[in-house]
Amino acid sequence: NDVSLLRLCSLPCPLFYWCYQSQFRCDHTCTGKCQDKPLTFRCSGGAQSPVNIVTRSVQRDEHLIPFKLTGYEKKLHGHLINNGHTIQMDLPSSLKIERGNLTVPYKALQFHLHWGKNGGPGSEHTIDGEQFPMEMHVVHIKEEYDCLSQAAKDGTGVAVLGFFFQVLLSEYLKFDPLIDALKNITYPTNRTTLRGVSLDMFLPSRDNLTKYFRYDGSLTTPNCSEGILPFYHNVTCLLSLLQLASFSQLRFSDGNHMVNTYRPVQPLNGRQVYYSRGHAVLISTVLLFMSTLLSSALSLHTQPL
Ligand SMILES: *[C@@H]1O[C@H](CO)[C@@H](O)[C@H](O)[C@H]1NC(C)=O
Ligand SMILES: [Zn+2]
């Protein structure tokens, strides 16, 4: 009854290794005295992420007021790493989100990305079945906690802001520092210093942070803890196809191209997806716009890597 389709494999114990469906080699077996140690990753609960958001079924929630973002405009200076599953950057805890029906401020922990192959479909969440080329997760935890595993034990300890990416027909120059940095972190455990990128740069406009979806979900990687509060924005960040494709040059630990780093959508199991005030207009206009861009993007990247 594993709905996760993330295959869990054990590498040299007690470390564990898991992989995305796209990684066909996941046949490591545990040896030695750790063999009997059970894997404790629960990736098959009833409130798992990601999900497909059906816009016809979302419900408006008056409590979903605009977020207050603190420090998102700050130029970051820190390590960008290839962690074997994605690229990730730790964020200073001076970055915070408040409001948006969160009862207390949450401090930022890290951001990471999920993507497809050469700019093809790669987001984790889908909207009316549409998969976007990339999705960014900005992970926040309650200020009282030090790390994700601690916060994940609290039913409301983690809040994730998710952003979809869309293909832009020209280069989005603001992202060059990030795209350039990818060359230095081709292999897992590689790290590089990233300067001059702020989280704000990813977002087309602050105004759009008033318009978002919300539902109760989970982490999308082991251990898939539930009780996470993802807030999915319906706004999209923009990158050119070339820029998106450069993520496919990164490598997994098995040496293969790091592509399709997303978990498939999981059953809603009766969960309600809510949307914030003033969302309705955006849904129709933005989605139409997105479908057009997606189909042109898909026809462009039919060449293999
Ligand atoms: C990246 O990792 C690979 C494999 O571990 C290693 O051979 C290489 O030297 C690393 N590169 C840098 C820039 O650290
Ligand atoms: Zn994620």
Side-chain angles (χ1 to χ4, degrees), residues 88-104:
Q88 179 178 322
M89 183 170 189
D90 291 339
L91 296 171
S93 56
S94 55
L95 270 62
K96 289 188 203 337
I97 52 166
E98 290 171 80
R99 306 201 189 129
N101 125 347
L102 299 171
T103 52
V104 293

Side-chain angles (χ1 to χ4, degrees), residues 184-191:
N184 304 325
I185 54 167
T186 305
Y187 300 97
T189 72
N190 286 166
R191 60 175 56 211

Side-chain angles (χ1 to χ4, degrees), residues 13-290:
C13 303
L15 295 177
F16 71 95
Y17 179 77
W18 59 269
C19 60
Y20 286 106
Q21 266 182 293
S22 62
Q23 298 173 266
F24 55 88
R25 272 171 49 84
C26 187
D27 50 4
H28 309 275
T29 48
C30 213
T31 54
K33 60 181 181 341
C34 314
Q35 199 157 11
D36 304 324
K37 205 175 164 156
L39 286 170
T40 52
F41 308 108
R42 199 168 47 85
C43 279
S44 51
Q48 291 282 294
S49 293
V51 298
N52 175 40
I53 295 167
V54 180
T55 53
R56 216 167 8 90
S57 310
V58 297
Q59 244 175 48
R60 186 179 159 113
D61 181 349
E62 290 297 323
H63 299 108
L64 297 180
I65 59 173
F67 286 106
K68 180 182 175 211
L69 306 178
T70 307
Y72 267 54
E73 73 291 347
K74 256 191 215 155
K75 291 269 163 59
L76 302 170
H77 178 117
H79 284 134
L80 186 71
I81 67 162
N82 175 336
N83 69 9
H85 306 295
T86 181
I87 60 155
Q88 179 178 322
M89 183 170 189
D90 291 339
L91 296 171
S93 56
S94 55
L95 270 62
K96 289 188 203 337
I97 52 166
E98 290 171 80
R99 306 201 189 129
N101 125 347
L102 299 171
T103 52
V104 293
Y106 285 64
K107 63 181 177 185
L109 201 61
Q110 45 106 330
F111 82 82
H112 63 266
L113 298 154
H114 300 272
W115 61 85
K117 183 177 178 181
N118 288 341
S123 67
E124 296 212 296
H125 289 78
T126 57
I127 296 189
D128 294 330
E130 291 258 29
Q131 195 179 11
F132 300 84
M134 190 152 80
E135 181 169 335
M136 176 168 70
H137 288 161
V138 189
V139 180
H140 304 79
I141 58 175
K142 277 185 186 165
E143 291 185 302
E144 65 205 84
Y145 299 118
D146 298 320
C147 62
L148 188 59
S149 55
Q150 214 179 40
K153 289 185 192 128
D154 172 342
T156 59
V158 184
V160 179
L161 283 187
F163 301 99
F164 295 119
F165 279 72
Q166 196 45 269
V167 174
L168 183 71
L169 297 177
S170 59
E171 304 273 302
Y172 189 58
L173 297 175
K174 277 189 193 171
F175 276 125
D176 279 353
L178 178 69
I179 304 295
D180 287 345
L182 297 181
K183 292 194 273 292
N184 304 325
I185 54 167
T186 305
Y187 300 97
T189 72
N190 286 166
R191 60 175 56 211
T192 189
T193 304
L194 184 66
R195 289 189 184 83
V197 173
S198 66
L199 286 184
D200 250 4
M201 286 183 181
F202 291 93
L203 315 177
S205 154
R206 265 291 174 98
D207 293 346
N208 289 323
L209 294 182
T210 58
K211 296 162 182 155
Y212 56 90
F213 297 110
R214 179 213 179 279
Y215 76 100
D216 290 333
S218 73
L219 298 178
T220 63
T221 55
N223 62 359
C224 308
S225 301
E226 295 185 345
I228 314 299
L229 311 166
F231 294 89
Y232 284 95
H233 289 257
N234 196 28
V235 295
T236 48
C237 316
L238 302 167
L239 272 189
S240 74
L241 201 52
L242 202 64
Q243 288 176 318
L244 282 164
S246 51
F247 287 88
S248 298
Q249 295 306 314
L250 299 167
R251 303 290 176 140
F252 286 125
S253 15
D254 57 16
N256 292 312
H257 287 279
M258 190 179 271
V259 295
N260 300 329
T261 57
Y262 60 86
R263 185 188 191 191
V265 292
Q266 304 294 308
L268 270 173
N269 293 325
R271 281 175 290 170
Q272 178 65 48
V273 179
Y274 298 95
Y275 68 96
S276 60
R277 293 194 272 190
H279 200 308
V281 178
L282 196 81
I283 290 177
S284 51
T285 54
V286 168
L287 281 180
L288 275 177
F289 179 53
M290 291 187 300

